[in-house]
């Protein structure tokens, strides 16, 4: 286990130190949840177009449950179960970290950004793939970029990201199944 933790630290330092001031603005943009609102609005329009008003309301409820689940699960892992210091706070790592985030939380295992973005990617990708040919790969690539931004800005190890993405995939698939059931039962024919 120690070798795996050291590999995670070494990989973090390698990836984090690939950064340059020329790219800092882009990665800070990608990591900020509020800057993703235009994407969310476009997705909402597609859900309305393909699922109608009742399907859109169901979508909003399922997405609210999905984001709540990823955030609370991440907080449970970070602050109760593992309490692993973030790289920007860890002795032997922080002094070599290229830290550009506005703040550094205390604990980081696993990444809530990675979990929620991948959960949303799988949910929307699966729900809209019949209607939009490239939505699934687009959303997965978007999630990977958002997730990597957490390494770039200095607040998560690669292991935090991979774990968050795996949990996000599971929750996203579950949300898709719940959404499919609810739309069949309560949605309208569009």
């Amino acid at each position: 286990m120690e070798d795996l933790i050291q590999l995670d630290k070494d990989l973090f330092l390698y990836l984090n130190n690939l950064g340059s001031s020329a790219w800092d603005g882009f990665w800070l943009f990608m990591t900020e949840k509020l800057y993703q609102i235009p994407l969310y609005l476009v997705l909402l329009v597609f859900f309305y177009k393909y699922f109608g008003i009742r399907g859109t309301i169901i979508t909003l409820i399922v997405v609210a449950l999905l984001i709540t689940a990823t955030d609370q699960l991440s907080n449970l892992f970070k602050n109760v179960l593992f309490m692993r210091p973030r790289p920007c706070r860890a002795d032997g790592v922080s002094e070599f970290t290229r830290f550009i985030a506005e703040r550094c939380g205390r604990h980081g295992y696993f990444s809530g950004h990675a979990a929620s973005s991948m959960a949303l990617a799988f949910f929307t990708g699966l729900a809209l793939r019949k209607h939009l040919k490239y939505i699934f790969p687009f959303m997965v690539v978007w999630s990977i970029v958002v997730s990597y931004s957490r390494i770039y800005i200095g607040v998560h190890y690669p292991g935090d990201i991979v774990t968050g993405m795996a949990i996000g995939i599971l929750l996203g698939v579950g949300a898709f199944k719940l959404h499919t059931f609810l739309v069949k039962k309560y949605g309208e024919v569009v």
Side-chain angles (χ1 to χ4, degrees):
M1 190 62 153
E2 285 298 318
D3 289 340
L4 191 59
I5 292 170
Q6 188 59 48
L7 177 64
D8 201 23
K9 290 178 182 179
D10 292 343
L11 186 56
F12 165 79
L13 289 171
Y14 173 76
L15 293 171
N16 173 260
N17 282 287
L18 289 174
S20 70
S21 58
W23 284 95
D24 290 354
F26 171 77
W27 291 108
L28 286 167
F29 175 85
M30 288 309 299
T31 205
E32 178 58 49
K33 290 179 183 179
L34 291 178
Y35 295 151
Q36 307 300 320
I37 289 174
L39 172 64
Y40 304 150
L41 292 175
V42 168
L43 292 172
L44 193 59
V45 167
F46 285 131
F47 274 99
Y48 176 73
K49 180 179 179 180
Y50 299 120
F51 293 97
I53 189 68
R54 283 192 279 184
T56 302
I57 292 168
I58 291 167
T59 298
L60 290 171
I61 292 168
V62 169
V63 168
L65 291 170
L66 180 62
I67 298 305
T68 300
T70 59
D71 284 349
Q72 294 307 308
L73 197 55
S74 174
N75 287 333
L76 175 68
F77 272 63
K78 286 177 189 174
N79 300 318
V80 177
L81 298 177
F82 289 95
M83 297 189 297
R84 179 184 186 190
R86 291 179 183 255
C88 45
R89 291 193 182 266
D91 292 335
V93 178
S94 62
E95 49 275 10
F96 304 106
T97 297
R98 191 174 177 282
F99 178 69
I100 63 165
E102 289 183 20
R103 61 183 178 79
C104 179
R106 290 181 38 183
H107 304 116
Y109 185 78
F110 60 89
S111 168
H113 275 74
S116 61
S117 67
M118 191 58 78
L120 187 63
F122 264 70
F123 168 69
T124 58
L126 291 171
L128 295 172
R129 69 181 172 193
K130 282 194 288 188
H131 309 286
L132 302 167
K133 185 176 180 180
Y134 298 108
I135 190 71
F136 190 80
F138 171 80
M139 291 301 296
V140 170
V141 168
W142 166 79
S143 174
I144 291 168
V145 170
V146 168
S147 298
Y148 174 75
S149 73
R150 307 304 287 168
I151 296 169
Y152 185 97
I153 68 170
V155 297
H156 278 293
Y157 293 104
D160 303 344
I161 301 301
V162 170
T163 303
M165 291 171 88
I167 289 170
I169 290 169
L170 293 173
L171 291 174
V173 170
F176 165 69
K177 289 181 179 188
L178 175 63
H179 183 265
T180 301
F181 170 77
L182 292 174
V183 166
K184 281 182 183 174
K185 187 163 179 134
Y186 302 108
E188 59 210 55
V189 177
V190 177

